Amino acid sequence: MDIRALGYLRLETTKLAEWRHYALDVLGMVEASGTTEDTLCLRMDDRSYRITVQAGGSDRLLAAGWEVANAAALTRATGELEAAGCAVKPADAAELSERRVQGLIHVTDPCGNPLEIYWGQAQDHTPLGTPYGNRFVTGDLGLGHVVLPAPDIEAALDFYENLLGFQLRDSMKLLPQAVPTAEEQREFHWMHFLSPNRRHHSLGLYPGALPPGIVHFMVELETLDDVGRGLDRMNAAGIPIASTLGRHTNDRMVSFYAQAPGGFQVEYGWDGLVVDPATWVAKEITADSFWGHRWNG
């Protein structure tokens, strides 16, 4: 399957006003056309949107949107999913209009995580005009990355690696206390990092359940100063910092993690590793970070 990138995320929230402040005033994203009283659409680049947050009765991930190149690629993806026994639902006209895409299918992974595979997203050719002059690293690398709960970690890895065609970049052992919601307790649990493109990972698979259906998502900034100023804004706004600034061992990202409205986190980072998929060798990492990333709680 020829998936190119993590294209967008769709979230539901009981705290839309908090999200508006968080995304626009703190993360430095831009309100996109299509925003309504009940839905906040967010731009990070020349795409019509990268994240939508809609008011609802819960705080959860509605869908991770994965991009393919064109209509033929979506047709092939549909056939491969159906041949593997996955239930595929084509989007209706209203959904295509709302997503601003030309083709889209719905499917869930083996752990029930909702996915949308699409092509032909509209662009917005007006200047981005971020509030602090910050710029996000996107392009063919996509939105950033998302970490999804995957209690059946073996089935999830097989689905993304062998069906969706993601490349396994590395894996890490987690102690049982780091996965209190695992389906069964073991001596350790594997967490996996994968990507369909040159970004070190576009997807993380966490081997436990989490009610919002998302562990965190990451957005990457062009400069370290952009990250530092973002950290200052988080502190000034009184937003809890989940993990201090640090540099990861796997993707070399310098980042911090902050609580987002709704029970999960946002990673705000710089200098992520871009790899050559043709020469990459999957590895086990044995530490989360070279330095920093001290977790609070």
Side-chain angles (χ1 to χ4, degrees):
M1 197 173 301
D2 188 20
I3 291 177
R4 300 296 178 88
L6 174 64
Y8 61 74
L9 294 171
R10 299 181 58 248
L11 305 169
E12 181 179 74
T13 184
T14 61
K15 306 174 179 68
L16 187 59
E18 290 183 35
W19 262 106
R20 181 178 297 277
H21 168 64
Y22 187 84
L24 302 179
D25 301 331
V26 183
L27 296 180
M29 296 178 182
V30 174
E31 185 174 304
S33 62
T35 293
T36 66
E37 183 179 350
D38 297 325
T39 301
L40 174 64
C41 300
L42 297 165
R43 281 183 67 196
M44 296 169 55
D45 55 12
D46 63 354
R47 297 300 183 92
S48 55
Y49 69 91
R50 287 292 191 177
I51 298 173
T52 60
V53 188
Q54 68 181 54
S58 62
D59 294 284
R60 62 189 177 110
L61 176 71
L62 292 176
W66 297 98
E67 186 173 45
V68 296
N70 49 41
L74 186 61
T75 298
R76 288 192 296 270
T78 301
E80 291 173 28
L81 287 162
E82 290 178 336
C86 300
V88 177
K89 179 186 175 184
D92 60 28
E95 289 173 321
L96 295 178
S97 176
E98 178 189 34
R99 308 295 198 275
R100 302 200 67 190
V101 300
Q102 296 188 51
L104 183 147
I105 57 173
H106 302 274
V107 68
T108 59
D109 74 12
C111 298
N113 294 308
L115 312 178
E116 296 179 354
I117 301 176
Y118 73 93
W119 75 277
Q121 186 182 21
Q123 291 182 293
D124 186 333
H125 300 291
T126 62
L128 185 61
T130 55
Y132 309 107
N134 54 289
R135 306 291 294 185
F136 296 96
V137 177
T138 56
D140 64 354
L141 301 178
L143 158 68
H145 74 236
V146 64
V147 177
L148 300 177
D152 189 344
I153 193 70
E154 290 85 4
L157 178 61
D158 179 65
F159 175 83
Y160 285 101
E161 186 177 19
N162 297 319
L163 182 56
L164 267 61
F166 289 22
Q167 185 179 52
L168 177 65
R169 296 287 158 78
D170 50 44
S171 304
M172 178 173 62
K173 292 176 181 176
L174 300 181
L175 295 176
Q177 55 264 40
V179 196
T181 58
E183 288 186 337
E184 60 179 273
Q185 286 305 311
R186 305 177 181 178
E187 181 181 355
F188 61 84
H189 301 275
W190 284 109
M191 182 171 181
H192 302 293
F193 302 88
L194 307 96
S195 185
N197 59 42
R198 297 178 302 120
R199 191 186 289 278
H200 174 273
H201 62 277
S202 302
L203 173 69
L205 296 174
Y206 169 76
L210 201 66
I214 178 173
V215 180
H216 75 259
F217 70 82
M218 183 281 298
V219 291
E220 185 176 358
L221 285 299
E222 285 191 352
T223 72
L224 179 59
D225 287 342
D226 285 337
V227 174
R229 294 184 187 110
L231 181 56
D232 282 349
R233 295 192 297 272
M234 291 283 181
N235 287 322
I239 294 168
I241 301 301
S243 176
T244 61
L245 195 71
R247 186 185 284 274
H248 282 305
T249 57
N250 59 355
D251 66 354
R252 307 301 196 268
M253 183 80 69
V254 176
S255 65
F256 67 91
Y257 294 71
Q259 294 294 345
F264 60 94
Q265 297 153 2
V266 170
E267 182 182 5
Y268 207 67
W270 164 77
D271 198 30
L273 182 64
V274 175
V275 311
D276 179 358
T279 60
W280 184 261
V281 175
K283 309 173 187 70
E284 177 191 349
I285 58 170
T286 57
D288 180 50
S289 301
F290 290 110
W291 55 267
H293 285 142
R294 293 188 302 276
W295 289 91
N296 300 315

